[in-house]
Amino acid sequence: MDLVRAHVLVCGGAACVSSGCAEVREALEAEIAAKGIEREIKVVVTGCMGPCDLGPIIVVYPEGVFYCNCTADDAREIVDEHLVKGRIVDRLLYEEPMTSEKVETQEGMTFFKQQERVALRNTGVIDPLVIDEYIARDGYAALGKALAEMTPEEVVDTIKQSGLRGRGGAGFPTGTKWMLTAKAPGSPKYVVCNADEGDPGAFMDRSVLEGDPHSVLEAMTIAGYAVGANQGYIYVRAEYPLAVEHLQHAIGQAREYGLLGKDILGSGFDFDIDLRVGAGAFVCGEETALLASIESRRGEPRPRPPYPAQSGLWGQPTLINNVETYANIAPIILRGSEWFSSMGTEKSRGTKVFALAGKINNTGLVEVPMGTPLRDIIFDIGGGIPNGKKFKAAQTGGPSGGCIPAEHLDTPIDYESLRALGTMMGSGGLIVMDEDTCMVDLAKFFMRFIQDESCGKCAPCRIGTKRMLEILDRITKGEGKEGDVELLVELGKEIIDTAMCGLGQSAPNPVLSTIRYFRDEYDAHIRDKKCPAGVCVAFKHYSIDPELCKGCGMCRRSCPAGAISGEVKKPHVIDVDKCIKCGACATACPFDAISLQ
Amino acid sequence: MSMGCCESKCAGDITSEQWALVDEIIAKYKGQRGILIPCLHEVQEAVGYLPLEVQERVAAGLDVPLADVYSVVTFYALFSTTPIGKHQVGICMGTACYVRGGDKVLEKVEEVLGIKAGETTDDRLFSIQVMRCIGACGLGPVMTVDDDIYARIKPDRVAEVLAKYS
């Protein structure tokens, strides 16, 4: 292996692929070759580095200089200036949104400073397609330790003592799950990875699968050893083609290295993993539905108990954890349960990955110790709200969660505190909303999502959420009545009590949560017929700006409702009572004089 | 198989090469457990969609009841029983894209193509698909055409993007 003087990392996460990182990499490599320094410089395509809106990203080591929003031309400039002449390209450095200061290195960026990377330890650092890079960062050492030095019981105990809880949503203690599956009578047993990350706004699992697939394979193998299983399945959603590709590649490499298959590392323990690709059903993230889908049946949930630990895949004891949970396993085995439980809060140990999205400056993935206040995540790491707007609320837990308003920004985030606020951790999606977001419209959005994705098996979810959606629809159309909010609350509580699976039982949460914190917005829609955020179209009207209108008559002729009148060459007007708000006039106007207000 | 099914039932829509491919895929999976979904994925890839006659072929080939095949095909959003356009236009309606105006993008795409989400244009060139979060939340709103991803797409750029595909 040649010794190189610099490593150039190019982020190849899905967001950077969308931003054109392939072109940037090609330009880098071509320019490096043109300068004749290809033996001194190594270009590495990594998984997601985290700050997705800064892509394509180039990081030059050993200095760790972080260049953002790079084009192919910029890449050539970095080679000429930085790699050849040793001069940092100032204009491509990151600028802190709060202070407008330029920052040279990745370590210096506020976005990275407060992070503690455990599950994301390798994403954005290694080439996910090269198993040796994973091994060089202690990869598969935990598996070796477990197989050579620990009994299966000791592995289960270590996970139990670490305090790790399920990162997929409900926060069930992981060690207890492992113990239950290990003790369950029956053979064969199975180990399953839930990689059906469906909550809109959450993409940490995708980043781990794409950027560090071996961490999941290693953890599943350790889990297989601990619970006595020889076969694992990863159920990954079809919407993540790059994750599927990287997993397939990683499984092939692990088999080649003897890290999957028969007699792993000479221990006599056999374990193999197969992939199952989903087919587009949100409900399959629910564990019993997911197991049905692996069996190639309709992904419909069933009542629990029996839990999968007793009766899971093909009726056999099955351990099922999500991707981020597995990504924590190897470090816990290697560094010990005490190290892990020293991070976080009393009941929520370790770290949590959050996906920042919505109206926030730094969108992307961040991993922080449990108990970090929401304010730090949004304003320090996330860089605050763009365009000088005001923070209104953050939505956590996707369609199963709720929102956290500004007055609770200082709450330390863990499983318990979120539940007390009427929301939940969920998978860690954190969507930030500013004053331009209508909370009633948001509640309607989630309810429509649930309606689309409800599998239809139980009536509370199938019919109850439909009724809730109808009421919300009415309210946003200006047809809300007194008593609608009370009806929503009553229906919501009934659905929580009576729906069969986790999807249905949590479906009313976004509505109940927005009513709890933003009741005044519901009342404004119902009583004052106003949408305070200016989102709901029903409360808006098309109007013609008399300054811009030339009186050409195009709008009058295009209106299907005959709502526009006016004389030629004089400003026209719209009769709001006749207008059906189709927008045909605004499209027809050659002077952009018509707008929705 | 000399059933002559293609001439009589399939409106000439599926070629004999495609049927051969379908049979090959079925043969590969036959006899294994829990493989109906992976098998249907591959068959749809080969044929483009899963009309009833294809489902019948899969059911017969794998020796499972047609009802099972039909129930799976109709349950999952990614399986389609109607033809899909040559180009799939996807609009992400995940929360992040939605709050950044994904719905306005969808409206524009529907207007430009003259079809609604879930439909295919008469010339079978385009279909529109509303997608659940594709995980590119930092770049919302996001529109995809086949494997190309258009980040931070504005409604007024939609027509220009679609014009690139023929």
Side-chain angles (χ1 to χ4, degrees), chain A residues 478-501:
Chain A
E479 295 157 13
K481 310 188 286 250
E482 285 299 325
D484 271 353
V485 174
E486 288 71 22
L487 194 56
L488 281 172
V489 172
E490 191 188 332
L491 258 171
K493 288 188 173 156
E494 288 291 330
I495 295 169
I496 290 173
D497 286 343
T498 53
M500 194 177 65
C501 80

Side-chain angles (χ1 to χ4, degrees), chain A residues 206 278 293 296-298 452, chain B residues 36-37 41 71 76 78 132 135:
Chain A
R206 195 206 59 198
S293 190
S296 270
R297 293 189 283 117
R298 289 165 76 92
D452 284 350
Chain B
L36 181 57
I37 291 175
H41 268 305
S71 84
Y76 293 98
L78 290 184
R132 289 309 168 200

Side-chain angles (χ1 to χ4, degrees), chain A residues 15 18 53 190 200-201 206 237-238 277-280 293 296-299 314 358-359 363 431 441 445 449 452-453, chain B residues 33-38 41 71-72 75-79 93 95-96 98-100 132-135 137-139 149 152:
Chain A
S18 317
D53 59 329
Y190 296 100
R206 195 206 59 198
R237 59 200 294 249
V277 179
S293 190
S296 270
R297 293 189 283 117
R298 289 165 76 92
W314 290 296
K359 308 283 185 67
T363 55
I431 294 159
D441 183 62
F445 166 82
F449 179 90
D452 284 350
E453 297 295 342
Chain B
R33 188 162 67 157
I35 43 65
L36 181 57
I37 291 175
H41 268 305
S71 84
V72 166
F75 184 82
Y76 293 98
L78 290 184
F79 294 135
M93 281 294 200
T95 324
Y98 183 79
V99 300
R100 287 195 188 186
R132 289 309 168 200
C133 185
I134 62 165
C137 308
L139 305 172
I149 301 169
R152 300 186 189 93

Side-chain angles (χ1 to χ4, degrees), chain B residues 63-79:
Chain B
D63 201 17
V64 294
L66 177 60
D68 286 5
V69 177
Y70 185 76
S71 84
V72 166
V73 167
T74 50
F75 184 82
Y76 293 98
L78 290 184
F79 294 135

Side-chain angles (χ1 to χ4, degrees), chain B residues 129-146:
Chain B
Q129 193 191 5
V130 169
M131 297 185 297
R132 289 309 168 200
C133 185
I134 62 165
C137 308
L139 305 172
V142 173
M143 171 171 122
T144 64
V145 182
D146 304 331

Side-chain angles (χ1 to χ4, degrees), chain A residues 117-245:
Chain A
R117 295 189 149 215
V118 179
L120 299 179
R121 63 194 178 281
N122 291 326
T123 55
V125 181
I126 62 167
D127 183 339
L129 296 176
V130 181
I131 188 171
D132 300 314
E133 297 209 5
Y134 178 70
I135 292 172
R137 286 180 60 91
D138 291 336
Y140 289 104
L143 176 63
K145 181 178 175 185
L147 292 178
E149 298 169 24
M150 298 167 84
T151 63
E153 294 74 32
E154 282 167 351
V155 175
V156 171
D157 276 348
T158 305
I159 300 303
K160 258 180 104 171
Q161 277 156 20
S162 73
L164 175 65
R165 294 169 63 177
R167 298 293 192 244
F172 190 81
T174 305
T176 307
K177 219 179 210 181
W178 287 34
M179 184 194 72
L180 290 171
T181 316
K183 287 193 174 159
S187 178
K189 294 179 184 179
Y190 296 100
V191 169
V192 171
C193 173
N194 183 346
D196 191 51
E197 180 177 55
D199 280 5
F203 50 101
M204 59 284 295
D205 291 352
R206 195 206 59 198
S207 284
V208 172
L209 297 170
E210 287 176 4
D212 193 17
H214 286 286
S215 69
V216 176
L217 306 185
E218 180 180 8
M220 287 178 72
T221 312
I222 293 171
Y225 174 69
V227 305
N230 302 106
Q231 176 66 47
Y233 289 98
I234 301 175
Y235 185 89
V236 55
R237 59 200 294 249
E239 287 87 343
Y240 289 175
L242 198 60
V244 173
E245 196 186 311

